[in-house]
Amino acid sequence: MTERIMKLAHERLPVKTIARIIGISASSVQRIIDQNLKLRPARRLPTRLCFDDPRFNGSLTKISNSDRLAGYPRDSALMSSVPLMA
C-alpha cells in the first residue's frame, strides 16, 4: 500500500484523490507520504538577492502614504541588490 501511495503522490495527485483511490483517510495518506518522503537539502543558497520595491527611496526608509499623496516621484522602481548576511 505504501508503494502505491508514493507512486500516486509522485504523479502529483492530490492527497484526497489518493485517499479515495486507496480507500483510506486523507490524513493517513499524508502521514505515509511524510514518513516516506526523501528530501534532498538545497545545493546552495544564492549569495545575492534582488528586491524590486517601488516604495524604496534610497535611504532604506519606506515612503509613507502622505509622501505618495503629496506627489512623491513614482516614475520607476529602484532595484537594490543586497548581499545575504552570513
Side-chain angles (χ1 to χ4, degrees), residues 22-80:
I22 302 293
I24 61 176
S25 70
S27 59
S28 294
V29 170
Q30 187 64 58
R31 183 174 46 256
I32 291 169
I33 291 171
D34 290 343
Q35 289 171 350
N36 292 284
L37 192 62
K38 295 181 177 97
L39 297 176
R40 291 177 290 176
R43 289 185 209 113
R44 189 177 127 209
L45 293 175
T47 55
R48 293 180 182 261
L49 296 176
C50 183
F51 298 92
D52 181 10
D53 188 348
R55 295 172 295 175
F56 181 73
N57 67 7
S59 65
L60 296 179
T61 59
K62 296 284 184 179
I63 299 170
S64 68
N65 284 332
S66 60
D67 289 339
R68 210 172 303 130
L69 293 174
Y72 195 87
R74 302 181 208 118
D75 53 339
S76 65
L78 296 173
M79 298 292 287
S80 65

